[in-house]
Amino acid sequence: MPWSGLTSAAVPPPLALTQASMPQIDAPIALMMDVGSGRILYARDAHRRFVPASITKIMTSFVAFDLISKGKLRLDQRISVRPETFRQWRGVGSTMFLAADSRPTVAELLEAIVTVSANDACVVLAEGAAGSVPAFTGAMNQAAASLGMRDSHFNTPNGWMDEGQTYVTAADLATLSGALITRYPDLYRRFYGHAEMTWNGITQPNHNPLYGRTEGADGIKTGFTNEAGYGFVGSAERKGRRLVMVLGGYDRPNARAEQSRLFMEWGFSAWAAQPLFAKGAAVGNAVVQGGEARNVALVAPRPLSVTMPRGETARYTLSLRYKGPLKAPIAKGETVASLLVRVPGEPVHVLPLVAGEAVAKGGPLARLRNGALEMVGL
């Protein structure tokens, strides 16, 4: 059921102006994405594999959020620290200073992982949620595959040095970060964006270089080891517009901090987003087979937009794509279709659409009714 629309003709894009206002970025790996449109605003070696260090913990929180959303893990659930885990991770890198007899909650572990990059919390959470670190990293890699992260692999839940067995790309991290924010917005808001954390009487700061300096900054994760250098995945939201950036391989933390702030400001000032659909807006309908209903509304799971250099009028076409007819049962909010946004000179941007309501599997009467209506062309 494709459809399309076309805006007024575009004026010549001010690409020279956009590039001229681009700040100096010394990181060997860099990327910026507008989450609402999926457009990549800047990319340098975006598909080059690199060691993420503590940036790995974005995937750790993603898997935990997924388990929580499915009822397989509770925020108030307490997890005991295994003696072996205490001995191995006591005082290793960033830590939340778990004692040997600690029984932290899942919420406390997530706060420590996200805010102070606690290596010990990652291992305790992995063992408590999945039974073992290998089982949890298996879930991390399954999640990566489901998101289309083709050039990433996770061997640890905390990103500690493992001779390069854990690796990512900037493109994959942007995909992961966008999914983290849009699929689990309530959990993201609860655990991300905190400038410091106090646990067991110890207060530690978050080293995110955007916090307190960049308007709308609320994530996501820094990373550093001698093996990886200084990296950062940052995000900020202003007036409903969300940007995610990835920077990897800095030699100095000061350069990472200063340039990440300038990079984010460039993303908001040099580019503008034209809204397409608000969150929850109906975009179209899809045919359903074998359900109580014959159609299901396709809605935007988040605000969807098209992004262009500031001053350029967006020229684009839209179309729906899904493998139809969809087969019941269908859960409300399930991703069942895509909105394709075609901008001249740009790769096709694929934005998700979800079912606006649940469609149960039809009984005998529903199947007879639907079959009769199809026979008469209704």
Side-chain angles (χ1 to χ4, degrees):
M1 298 174 61
W3 59 274
S4 64
L6 188 66
T7 66
S8 58
V11 299
L15 293 179
L17 175 61
T18 301
Q19 294 303 322
S21 61
M22 175 76 187
Q24 178 178 334
I25 300 297
D26 295 327
I29 297 168
L31 179 144
M32 179 169 287
M33 179 181 74
D34 190 310
V35 175
S37 66
R39 181 164 183 170
I40 303 301
L41 310 185
Y42 180 85
R44 175 190 293 160
D45 265 355
H47 297 282
R48 172 181 164 186
R49 292 179 178 178
F50 69 99
V51 176
S54 286
I55 292 172
T56 296
K57 292 160 186 166
I58 301 174
M59 179 58 88
T60 304
S61 65
F62 181 89
V63 171
F65 288 179
D66 184 59
L67 292 172
I68 293 165
S69 70
K70 293 175 179 176
K72 298 180 179 180
L73 192 65
R74 301 190 324 274
L75 288 173
D76 62 354
Q77 180 177 332
R78 292 193 174 274
I79 300 176
S80 298
V81 178
R82 296 171 62 245
E84 299 89 341
T85 301
F86 174 75
R87 289 194 295 269
Q88 181 180 359
W89 291 101
R90 180 185 183 186
V92 177
S94 301
T95 175
M96 70 181 289
F97 301 103
L98 286 167
D101 59 351
S102 296
R103 295 188 68 245
T105 65
V106 168
E108 290 169 336
L109 292 169
L110 280 169
E111 180 74 17
I113 291 166
V114 169
T115 304
V116 300
S117 197
N119 291 321
D120 51 355
C122 290
V123 178
V124 172
L125 177 67
E127 292 174 341
S132 69
V133 166
F136 192 85
T137 56
M140 294 169 74
N141 289 312
Q142 288 177 4
S146 71
L147 291 171
M149 298 170 62
R150 298 182 181 88
D151 294 304
S152 297
H153 182 265
F154 298 95
N155 184 60
T156 75
N158 55 22
W160 193 249
M161 293 173 285
D162 61 0
E163 298 181 344
Q165 294 183 71
T166 297
Y167 55 84
V168 295
T169 66
D172 282 354
L173 285 174
T175 296
L176 169 62
S177 300
L180 176 80
I181 294 166
T182 58
R183 293 191 185 186
Y184 311 110
D186 294 337
L187 289 168
Y188 179 81
R189 283 191 295 269
R190 173 166 179 170
F191 291 103
Y192 280 86
H194 302 167
E196 63 180 21
M197 172 192 172
T198 300
W199 190 81
N200 202 24
I202 301 172
T203 299
Q204 299 183 73
N206 190 324
H207 295 294
N208 187 310
L210 302 184
Y211 288 174
R213 294 176 176 267
T214 300
E215 178 190 348
D218 59 6
I220 302 178
K221 193 73 194 70
T222 56
F224 168 75
T225 63
N226 291 329
E227 181 185 29
Y230 294 90
F232 179 44
V233 179
S235 185
E237 184 178 35
R238 298 180 188 175
K239 298 179 180 179
R241 183 179 173 213
R242 165 80 62 181
L243 299 183
V244 166
M245 66 177 172
V246 182
L247 297 168
Y250 276 107
D251 295 328
R252 298 180 299 110
N254 289 346
R256 175 185 66 179
E258 294 166 5
Q259 294 183 10
S260 65
R261 296 168 196 149
L262 294 173
F263 195 25
M264 185 63 76
E265 293 301 334
W266 171 82
F268 281 109
S269 63
W271 298 82
Q274 178 175 316
L276 295 175
F277 297 98
K279 179 179 179 180
V283 179
N285 290 280
V287 176
V288 176
Q289 184 179 63
E292 286 291 339
R294 298 178 62 207
N295 296 277
V296 65
L298 303 175
V299 304
R302 62 174 191 262
L304 303 180
S305 60
V306 59
T307 306
M308 304 297 289
R310 191 170 293 279
E312 178 179 346
T313 302
R315 183 170 181 260
Y316 58 87
T317 59
L318 306 176
S319 60
L320 290 177
R321 182 177 69 188
Y322 66 91
K323 292 182 179 179
L326 303 176
K327 294 184 179 179
I330 299 169
K332 182 178 180 180
E334 180 182 350
T335 301
V336 292
S338 299
L339 177 68
L340 307 184
V341 184
R342 292 179 171 86
V343 178
E346 283 289 316
V348 176
H349 303 297
V350 182
L351 304 177
L353 297 175
V354 301
E357 58 274 331
V359 180
K361 192 171 183 179
L365 290 178
R367 291 198 296 270
L368 282 173
R369 179 201 64 207
N370 294 341
L373 291 172
E374 288 174 8
M375 289 179 63
V376 296
L378 297 176

